[in-house]
C-alpha cells in the first residue's frame, strides 16, 4: 500500500513539475501604447436613437480591457483624437411568424460609422466600420426592446472600432 502511495505522490509531483515548467504565460506588453493618450468623441448623424452615449462607453470599456491606451478628458491634452461619426442606421425585418406573414417577429439592425483618428491636426487613418444586431419580439403583441438591441449593436461596433484603434496605432 505504501508503495502505491509513493508512486501516486511521485506521479503528482512529476505532473505538476511538467505543467509549471511548460506554462509560458506572458502578460501583454503595454509599454508601446502607454505613452499615447486618446480623446474619444462620438457623433450621431444617424437615426439611431441615443446610440452615441452607449457606443462611447462600449468603446472605452473595450479599450480598457485591452489596456491599450491612456485616456484624456480634455481634447487639448490628448496626443490622438478619435472621432466616431454614426452615419447610416437601418432596421429591417428578418423573421416572420409562420401564422402571420404580415408582421415581423424579428428585426435586423445595422449601423455604419466613420472612424477618423488625427494627431496634431493631421489625419492618421480613416475607415468605415459596420456593426449589427438582431432582436426578437417576445410575443405578437409586444414590441422588441430597442435599448437591448442598441446596446448589442453598440458592443459589436465597439469591438470593431477598438480593434482598429489598437491595430492601427501600434
Amino acid at each position: 500500500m505504501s508503495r502505491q502511495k509513493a508512486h501516486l505522490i511521485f506521479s503528482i509531483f512529476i505532473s505538476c513539475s511538467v505543467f509549471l515548467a511548460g506554462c509560458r504565460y506572458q502578460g501583454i506588453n503595454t509599454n508601446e501604447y502607454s505613452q499615447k493618450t486618446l480623446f474619444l468623441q462620438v457623433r450621431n448623424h444617424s437615426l439611431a436613437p441615443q446610440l452615441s452615449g452607449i457606443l462611447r462607453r462600449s468603446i472605452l470599456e473595450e479599450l480598457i480591457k485591452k489596456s491599450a491606451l491612456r485616456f484624456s478628458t480634455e481634447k487639448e491634452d490628448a496626443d490622438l483624437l478619435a472621432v466616431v461619426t454614426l452615419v447610416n442606421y437601418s432596421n429591417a425585418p428578418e423573421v416572420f411568424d409562420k401564422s402571420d406573414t404580415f408582421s415581423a417577429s424579428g428585426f435586423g439592425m445595422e449601423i455604419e460609422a466613420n472612424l477618423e483618428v488625427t494627431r496634431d491636426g493631421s489625419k492618421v487613418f480613416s475607415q468605415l466600420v459596420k456593426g449589427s444586431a438582431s432582436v426578437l419580439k417576445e410575443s405578437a403583441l409586444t414590441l422588441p426592446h430597442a435599448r437591448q438591441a442598441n446596446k448589442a449593436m453598440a458592443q459589436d461596433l465597439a469591438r470593431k472600432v477598438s480593434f482598429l484603434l489598437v491595430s492601427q496605432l501600434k
Side-chain angles (χ1 to χ4, degrees):
M1 184 72 174
S2 66
R3 185 173 180 192
Q4 288 178 343
K5 282 185 179 179
H7 186 63
L8 179 65
I9 291 172
F10 181 72
S11 298
I12 291 172
F13 175 74
I14 294 295
S15 298
C16 290
S17 298
V18 169
F19 174 73
L20 293 175
C23 183
R24 301 279 182 198
Y25 176 77
Q26 293 179 350
I28 297 172
N29 182 10
T30 59
N31 291 337
E32 60 187 277
Y33 299 110
S34 63
Q35 302 304 318
K36 298 175 184 172
T37 57
L38 176 77
F39 181 79
L40 178 66
Q41 186 174 18
V42 178
R43 300 176 181 158
N44 192 355
H45 292 230
S46 72
L47 298 176
Q50 302 175 350
L51 191 61
S52 58
I54 300 169
L55 179 62
R56 185 175 193 281
R57 181 182 174 127
S58 297
I59 292 171
L60 291 175
E61 286 174 356
E62 287 291 326
L63 289 172
I64 288 170
K65 284 180 196 173
K66 292 176 175 53
S67 303
L69 299 162
R70 292 184 306 161
F71 303 105
S72 174
T73 56
E74 298 295 325
K75 194 181 210 179
E76 296 78 24
D77 297 337
D79 299 324
L80 301 164
L81 171 64
V83 179
V84 179
T85 307
L86 301 172
V87 288
N88 289 328
Y89 170 74
S90 64
N91 185 356
E94 278 185 344
V95 179
F96 293 93
D97 190 10
K98 61 183 173 185
S99 63
D100 183 12
T101 58
F102 182 68
S103 63
S105 58
F107 296 91
M109 300 167 33
E110 290 187 345
I111 188 84
E112 290 182 355
N114 263 331
L115 170 63
E116 185 173 308
V117 178
T118 58
R119 177 183 290 139
D120 299 327
S122 62
K123 187 186 296 187
V124 176
F125 77 94
S126 178
Q127 189 162 343
L128 184 69
V129 186
K130 294 181 181 183
S132 62
S134 293
V135 61
L136 291 172
K137 294 194 306 187
E138 292 177 19
S139 69
L141 300 176
T142 61
L143 292 174
H145 300 287
R147 184 148 174 88
Q148 290 173 340
N150 282 347
K151 187 169 183 175
M153 189 169 51
Q155 287 173 340
D156 182 50
L157 190 59
R159 278 189 292 275
K160 293 174 182 176
V161 167
S162 65
F163 176 76
L164 275 172
L165 286 171
V166 170
S167 64
Q168 294 289 328
L169 298 177
K170 274 191 175 181

